[in-house]
Amino acid sequence: MLPILHLIYGNQQLLVDETTENLTKQLLEQRDRQDALERFDAIELLKDNSQGVTLDQFQTSCETLPFLTDLKVIRLDHCEVLATSAKPGNGKEGRLLHVLLNSIRSPHPAFRYLLTSSAMSDKNLNSLLLKEVKKNGKVIKFVAYEDSTPVDWLLKRASQKNLPLSRGMAELLIELVGNDLNDLDQEMEKLSLMNISRSTLTEQFLLDHVQGYKHFSVFRIIQALSLKQIVPALETLEQVMMESAKDYVKLFVLIHQQFRKLLMIHYLKRRQAPEDEILGSLGMHPFLGRQVVAQARNFKTHELEQIYHRLGTMDLPFKYHPHLAQTMLQDLFQSICLSS
């Protein structure tokens, strides 16, 4: 028997949504969704306007027994907007928390609650809410960190879509798109519509057809810088900054890592290290690793040393002057691409 209360959270939105939908179907069984399911969004409930669903309506829903059915499922999304230390009380946030806690502390047998959040960990959730969920229900967590590589999930999903994806191709796709399952699922859906054979699905095919994601935009910037192509580098930087100005930190870290690899290649070649050792030291998919080795030929060792030193001196200015991040990156790009 399913618990009365679930909290499903994490930064893997696809798994959060799919799990919540599966639980909804199990809870409703063969009941009419329109009669038995009521869905709310905490972000909308806390907005300072009278349009849309209000806190009064949410409270009424939590206090009114189901009509024309024996069960009511209440789903509340984006619970991360409730501050971690917020207490029941005055203001919209305090009132929402008060209504929610009162509902789940002593739930009526005819009610079921599904709460979702994009929080990354328990500490990013309201402590009182989390305590009640753990006491009376179940917490389900789907969190992926920067270094996680969901290869097995990707292969299983590809099989469901009849996409002939090998393990090596799956690893490459993750490097290009990132490890967000929603992005990966959308990319595989697009590829599956092309009716691709295993012989057609090559590394170059993926590189030519994968596009449109923030992670891949960053990949394009790094590739352009490594080829000293200033125009595409600056154009893609503009796109990344327009989509999310906060991405400059991740971009800076990845540029730093890339030029560290380029410099390491020069040092390894200087001592005549074999190609297998060089590729192994990069920690990348071999297809991308060979590209980086080729890109290293665009720089002299002293150029890379100067660039790497400059990247090291940019750490503090980035931290203390984030409003100048785009300007600093533009200057960096010009110095890289115009070096000789």
Side-chain angles (χ1 to χ4, degrees):
M1 184 175 178
L2 290 174
I4 290 177
L5 171 64
H6 285 87
L7 169 61
I8 309 99
Y9 81 87
N11 63 345
Q12 290 290 22
Q13 193 61 46
L14 181 68
L15 293 182
V16 170
D17 289 338
E18 288 185 345
T19 301
T20 307
E21 178 58 25
N22 287 335
L23 287 170
T24 301
K25 290 178 179 178
Q26 292 179 60
L27 290 169
L28 294 180
E29 293 182 348
Q30 297 188 6
R31 299 176 179 89
D32 190 310
R33 289 177 73 99
Q34 188 171 350
D35 294 332
L37 174 64
E38 296 188 17
R39 185 172 176 177
F40 301 89
D41 188 322
I43 294 175
E44 293 298 320
L45 294 177
L46 295 179
K47 281 185 177 178
D48 293 325
N49 59 59
S50 58
Q51 298 178 350
V53 179
T54 65
L55 263 173
D56 286 337
Q57 290 171 293
F58 177 69
Q59 183 171 358
T60 299
S61 178
C62 291
E63 295 174 351
T64 306
L65 291 175
F67 182 64
L68 299 177
T69 181
D70 64 329
L71 188 78
K72 179 190 285 189
V73 176
I74 295 178
R75 174 173 173 175
L76 179 63
D77 297 317
H78 295 121
C79 290
E80 71 277 359
V81 299
L82 292 167
T84 55
S85 58
K87 308 291 183 184
N90 297 327
K92 284 196 169 186
E93 187 177 358
R95 185 182 165 199
L96 174 57
L97 183 59
H98 173 75
V99 172
L100 188 56
L101 290 176
N102 277 355
S103 301
I104 65 178
R105 276 173 177 154
S106 301
H108 190 280
F111 283 79
R112 301 292 185 272
Y113 298 90
L114 296 174
L115 312 178
T116 75
S117 169
S118 60
M120 282 283 287
S121 67
D122 285 5
K123 67 181 180 181
N124 301 129
L125 293 160
N126 181 272
S127 56
L128 294 176
L129 176 60
L130 184 61
K131 180 181 178 181
E132 289 302 323
V133 175
K134 289 183 175 180
K135 179 181 177 182
N136 297 319
K138 182 178 181 180
V139 177
I140 302 175
K141 180 179 178 181
F142 296 109
V143 174
Y145 299 98
E146 288 294 331
D147 59 350
S148 63
T149 51
V151 176
D152 291 335
W153 177 89
L154 194 59
L155 291 172
K156 182 179 179 180
R157 201 75 167 191
S159 177
Q160 294 170 354
K161 297 177 184 292
N162 294 318
L163 187 65
L165 199 68
S166 67
R167 178 166 288 270
M169 292 295 99
E171 292 170 350
L172 177 58
L173 188 59
I174 292 170
E175 287 208 43
L176 295 176
V177 177
N179 61 9
D180 183 272
L181 301 187
N182 191 58
D183 288 347
L184 288 166
D185 190 65
Q186 289 183 44
E187 194 59 41
M188 283 193 295
E189 185 66 26
K190 185 184 76 174
L191 292 170
S192 68
L193 296 175
M194 298 180 184
N195 295 318
I196 307 165
S197 66
R198 185 173 292 275
S199 60
T200 304
L201 193 57
T202 63
E203 291 95 341
Q204 192 59 50
F205 185 91
L206 284 184
L207 200 60
D208 292 339
H209 289 83
V210 172
Q211 57 186 343
Y213 297 101
K214 289 180 184 177
H215 184 92
F216 194 66
S217 296
V218 171
F219 174 84
R220 288 293 191 198
I221 288 176
I222 293 172
Q223 187 179 54
L225 292 177
S226 300
L227 296 172
K228 294 188 176 182
Q229 297 174 344
I230 185 64
V231 174
L234 290 175
E235 288 178 346
T236 312
L237 173 65
E238 184 76 20
Q239 175 189 338
V240 169
M241 298 298 286
M242 284 180 62
E243 291 175 354
S244 176
K246 294 181 180 179
D247 280 349
Y248 77 88
V249 176
K250 180 179 180 180
L251 174 57
F252 178 73
V253 170
L254 292 175
I255 291 173
H256 190 278
Q257 291 175 350
Q258 174 74 356
F259 279 90
R260 180 179 178 276
K261 290 173 183 175
L262 294 174
L263 185 57
M264 182 170 60
I265 290 169
H266 273 248
Y267 289 156
L268 288 171
K269 283 192 170 184
R270 182 180 291 176
R271 66 176 183 81
Q272 298 182 331
E275 183 181 7
D276 287 348
E277 181 182 342
I278 295 174
L279 290 175
S281 68
L282 298 178
M284 302 174 70
H285 187 280
F287 177 76
L288 296 180
R290 285 189 286 272
Q291 287 194 332
V292 175
V293 171
Q295 291 163 357
R297 303 190 191 107
N298 297 320
F299 298 88
K300 297 181 176 64
T301 303
H302 76 272
E303 289 178 72
L304 291 171
E305 289 173 338
Q306 291 173 356
I307 293 169
Y308 193 64
H309 174 73
R310 178 168 181 173
L311 287 165
T313 62
M314 290 178 67
D315 185 54
L316 287 179
F318 259 71
K319 289 179 180 177
Y320 292 105
H321 304 288
H323 60 289
L324 298 177
Q326 186 167 351
T327 300
M328 287 190 285
L329 285 171
Q330 289 170 339
D331 291 343
L332 173 67
F333 288 8
Q334 290 187 40
S335 67
I336 291 174
C337 295
L338 299 178
S339 63
S340 59

